Amino acid sequence: MECKLIRPTDLDEALAAREEYTDGLPIAGGQSLLVMMRNRLISPGALIDLEPVEALRGIEVQSTGISIGAMNTCRQLIASPVLREEVGVLPSAARQVSSTAVRNLGTIGGNVCHNEPGADLPPVLLALNGRAVLRRRTHGREVPLEEFFTGYFETALEADEILCRIDIEHPNAAGVYLKHAISPEDLAIVGVAAVVVPDSERPGAVAEARIGIGGAAPVPLRASRTEAALKGAVLDEETARAAGELASTEVDTGSDPHASAGYRRKMVAVFVRRALLHAANQMMGNGHGAA
Amino acid sequence: MALLDLKVNGQEAQVEAPDTALLLDVLRERLFLTGAKRGCETSHCGCCTVRVDGMAVHSCVVLAARCQGKEITTVEGCGDGMELDRLQRLFLEHGAVQCGYCGPGMLMAAKALLERNPQPTLDEVKKGLDGNLCRCTGYTPIFDAILAYSRGA
Ligand SMILES: Cc1cc2nc3c(=O)[nH]c(=O)nc-3n(C[C@H](O)[C@H](O)[C@H](O)COP(=O)(O)OP(=O)(O)OC[C@H]3O[C@@H](n4cnc5c(N)ncnc54)[C@H](O)[C@@H]3O)c2cc1C
Ligand code: FES
Ligand code: FES
């Protein structure tokens, strides 16, 4: 059966098509979707092209944070002056996604909806308190990313919904993303994002540290017990080491041909420690910092 | 099926193809432009790299229908079809081509890089070609050819 291509001109048309074609899928950059089709893992009856949909574009600074259209490519995230200035950790992670050709077309929305273990953007967006802004024809809803990533290649996205934007908090914080992979173009064996918010009362201490972990487990996650332990802490070597150890107990690691569960667990400890120390350095280095 | 209006290497072409035809298939099988090679077909190897509006893309994971209204450039668009262009000549001189399977993709990725960044460092060249694998040359001659180009050789 031939797969149809639907090219809506605006979001309303796209949402109507999403409702109509129950065997259809939205196509963003196509970098994962077309590979899945080629490998016969999926065979949608229709592709709904999100490229022409203006409402899914743009990066807007709002009073509460930054709203990023789902169709922004990694290339656009890297080039965005606003993101570089305000949340450097996001373009820095986008730069580490796969290869130039994939970054040229692959989008933030596709990266998040595909939810492939080891993808680079989910841990960062988790650490930035990201929220998925979803729409269906009749209404919309917002889901914190922690609830959006539900399983191995699975998300809370419903069959008639489109992810329109990812909203992140204006961090006033320092942030780092570290990727551990066999080759830089590979998915992460372990990818750790650390975002630290300085304590305005006590120089050197952190009011809050947020840790997003990808690759290590089937689903990207926040290391919430570790985060709780770090509230108000001064991030020195010893604190960061202990945080890494604690974080490694929070992750339900798995084995695959790239790495064993035990190795992944160890690498979580190492990369959480390093990411926290980098982020703390950044925080001390330039006051408000740019996550 | 759909009728697609494409502009490839400056020339307009109309082709009939399935709605979700891939750019690589349309180039090779409808337009007989076999410069872009078929390798992994899963966006890993880069031998299918062409440029769309100047950007290097893996044509095995691009819908041809989306390229309407855009400029598609393949390796056949280098030089004038008879004479090699300067980058192609430098590839030849530096031994950047052994079996040659990666060559068209390497050239197109290199051109996208050099247009964006005419004086790349070695690291920037490596990053610019990170979507292109070569199983023969060990990459060094390819990087050398590109750096020689940027020095005006
Ligand atoms: C060789 C290769 C290497 C890669 N390496 C990495 C890596 O190192 N790090 C990394 O992070 N990623 C990596 N990726 C994944 C890459 O970043 C993908 O392109 C990306 O995850 C998917 O984005 P896309 O825009 O291409 O989405 P598509 O492929 O178009 O879509 C992916 C899925 O999301 C759905 N979807 C997309 N957008 C929306 C939306 N707005 N609303 C609802 N559903 C939507 C689609 O229906 C589909 O199911 C790699 C991919 C390849 C092919
Ligand atoms: S054939 Fe397209 S990347 Fe390998
Ligand atoms: S020359 Fe053979 S793959 Fe590069």
Side-chain angles (χ1 to χ4, degrees):
Chain A
M1 187 196 56
E2 195 184 308
C3 177
K4 272 197 187 150
L5 181 64
I6 315 296
R7 307 202 81 198
T9 55
D10 59 20
L11 186 58
D12 285 340
E13 271 183 39
L15 291 166
R18 189 79 166 113
E19 192 178 74
E20 181 182 345
Y21 294 94
T22 48
D23 63 346
L25 282 176
I27 177 163
Q31 300 298 290
S32 297
L33 180 59
L34 294 174
V35 171
M36 303 268 282
M37 286 172 69
R38 151 74 175 59
N39 290 340
R40 308 272 192 281
L41 291 168
I42 49 172
S43 44
L47 295 183
I48 301 159
D49 190 354
L50 301 183
E51 190 185 46
V53 181
E54 200 52 44
L56 307 181
R57 302 190 169 277
I59 296 173
E60 285 147 30
V61 181
Q62 300 165 337
S63 57
T64 50
I66 301 175
S67 175
I68 304 170
M71 283 301 284
N72 279 286
T73 60
C74 284
R75 181 191 175 102
Q76 288 169 325
L77 300 182
I78 296 166
S80 159
V82 169
L83 293 183
R84 284 154 80 132
E85 179 69 22
E86 305 284 339
V87 268
V89 64
L90 183 54
S92 141
R95 202 173 288 116
Q96 297 180 60
V97 168
S98 189
S99 64
T100 305
V102 172
R103 288 189 296 274
N104 282 345
L105 296 179
T107 64
I108 184 172
N111 197 287
V112 163
C113 289
H114 192 52
N115 191 21
E116 183 163 10
D120 296 301
L121 304 185
V124 176
L125 294 168
L126 279 168
L128 291 168
N129 279 341
R131 302 172 69 78
V133 180
L134 307 171
R135 279 282 310 275
R136 57 161 54 87
R137 194 180 58 75
T138 47
H139 60 280
R141 62 178 179 133
E142 277 193 29
V143 181
L145 285 181
E146 281 164 271
E147 292 161 30
F148 185 76
F149 300 120
T150 51
Y152 184 66
F153 284 98
E154 282 178 353
T155 68
L157 187 82
E158 301 275 350
D160 58 353
E161 284 180 320
I162 287 176
L163 170 68
C164 296
R165 313 193 74 81
I166 309 261
D167 289 356
I168 55 175
E169 273 182 12
H170 225 305
N172 186 27
V176 170
Y177 174 70
L178 297 181
K179 174 175 188 172
H180 180 46
I182 295 169
S183 147
E185 299 82 45
D186 290 341
L187 290 153
I189 289 174
V190 169
V192 174
V195 169
V196 299
V197 183
D199 185 333
S200 51
E201 314 278 283
R202 295 186 306 134
V206 297
E208 194 187 356
R210 302 198 295 255
I211 301 166
I213 302 176
V219 190
L221 71 151
R222 285 273 289 265
S224 42
R225 279 191 288 128
T226 309
E227 292 181 5
L230 286 172
K231 272 204 176 10
V234 174
L235 275 174
D236 54 19
E237 267 294 337
E238 184 45 37
T239 319
R241 196 196 54 75
E245 292 298 332
L246 179 56
S248 74
T249 66
E250 290 197 65
V251 182
D252 186 11
T253 54
S255 295
D256 68 15
H258 299 297
S260 68
Y263 178 74
R264 282 201 159 85
R265 195 176 297 286
K266 284 197 173 131
M267 289 306 109
V268 169
V270 170
F271 281 85
V272 166
R273 171 173 59 81
R274 287 187 192 164
L276 285 170
L277 288 174
H278 275 279
N281 265 336
Q282 210 185 81
M283 179 179 94
M284 306 296 275
N286 57 0
H288 72 293
Chain B
M1 297 291 272
L3 263 190
L4 305 178
D5 289 308
L6 299 174
K7 192 167 173 200
V8 187
N9 301 325
Q11 291 191 353
E12 311 275 350
Q14 196 173 60
V15 285
E16 196 180 15
D19 273 22
T20 54
L22 300 170
L23 180 57
L24 177 65
D25 294 332
V26 168
L27 289 173
R28 290 182 58 86
E29 284 156 32
R30 311 268 159 159
L31 296 171
F32 306 109
L33 294 169
T34 52
K37 297 288 176 271
R38 187 186 296 285
C40 65
E41 296 184 270
T42 55
S43 199
H44 284 84
C45 74
C47 70
C48 66
T49 307
V50 302
R51 297 175 70 190
V52 176
D53 278 350
M55 248 174 11
V57 299
H58 292 159
S59 61
C60 66
V61 283
V62 172
L63 294 179
R66 265 201 185 171
C67 299
Q68 299 178 98
K70 298 176 183 166
E71 298 273 345
I72 304 163
T73 320
T74 70
V75 73
E76 286 90 346
C78 296
D80 63 1
M82 297 302 287
E83 293 285 321
L84 299 182
D85 74 10
R86 191 158 69 86
L87 186 61
Q88 287 175 306
R89 267 203 327 274
L90 284 165
F91 264 55
L92 208 60
E93 284 165 21
H94 283 83
V97 180
Q98 281 186 31
C99 81
Y101 209 73
C102 69
M106 288 286 179
L107 282 163
M108 299 321 283
K111 281 178 181 274
L113 166 72
L114 288 163
E115 198 170 283
R116 226 175 34 244
N117 177 2
Q119 303 286 326
T121 62
L122 176 59
D123 275 349
E124 287 165 346
V125 172
K126 289 183 181 174
K127 189 85 179 156
L129 298 190
D130 58 1
N132 298 74
L133 301 181
C134 175
R135 306 311 299 267
C136 307
T137 64
Y139 298 100
T140 308
I142 298 173
F143 300 152
D144 287 348
I146 294 166
L147 291 170
Y149 182 94
S150 70
R151 284 194 304 267

